[in-house]
Amino acid sequence: MSIVSRRTLFALGTALSVCVALPAFAHHGWGWTSEEFFELEGTLTDLYIGQPHPTLTLNDGETDWTVELAPVGRTLASGFDETVVAIGDTVVAHGHRSTDEAEYRMKAVRLMIGDATYDVYPQFAAELDQ
């Protein structure tokens, strides 16, 4: 194989890797969220605790919202898991919604279920108490 072919293959491989990785970086960062805090109250209709991060589906009476939580380890460390909530429960999520208002999606820093509070991002949730 010539040097030019190896360089071409390397460049194509690198470009493909970047194209595959970029959506994951965009999805898991905070760049898609607004800066202002947002509160969503709704009925839990679905729950997923797993990789890459847990998610809830909350229905606010009109729309199903996807609520993304912290990575699994952080979420579980907050005390939140599938034993503290059930489908049909009312959940209040505090965090940041998508900057695309047509997208019903938010990243939560705090969940409230009944009298219990779960700060999945405690460093950001502390801002809610100020």
Side-chain angles (χ1 to χ4, degrees):
M1 187 178 288
S2 72
I3 291 176
V4 172
S5 296
R6 287 183 189 159
R7 286 183 180 161
T8 301
L9 274 174
F10 179 76
L12 287 173
T14 301
L16 181 60
S17 297
V18 168
C19 289
V20 169
L22 280 177
F25 286 127
H27 177 75
H28 294 287
W30 291 81
W32 58 272
T33 64
S34 66
E35 291 184 24
E36 300 83 29
F37 274 104
F38 174 75
E39 180 180 301
L40 172 67
E41 181 173 342
T43 303
L44 181 69
T45 62
D46 193 33
L47 170 66
Y48 170 74
I49 304 280
Q51 299 295 344
H53 50 81
T55 58
L56 311 175
T57 303
L58 298 181
N59 185 285
D60 67 359
E62 296 179 16
T63 305
D64 284 333
W65 286 76
T66 299
V67 180
E68 297 183 8
L69 305 179
V72 176
R74 282 185 175 191
T75 296
L76 295 176
S78 77
F80 181 84
D81 63 24
E82 60 275 348
T83 67
V84 302
V85 67
I87 301 299
D89 284 353
T90 298
V91 177
V92 179
H94 297 268
H96 302 275
R97 74 168 293 167
S98 173
T99 56
D100 179 354
E101 292 193 13
E103 181 178 44
Y104 297 98
R105 179 174 155 218
M106 71 174 293
K107 188 169 205 121
V109 299
R110 172 179 285 166
L111 297 175
M112 298 173 67
I113 304 160
D115 294 332
T117 299
Y118 305 95
D119 289 340
V120 297
Y121 283 104
Q123 70 276 30
F124 301 126
E127 294 176 40
L128 294 166
D129 299 327
Q130 296 177 4

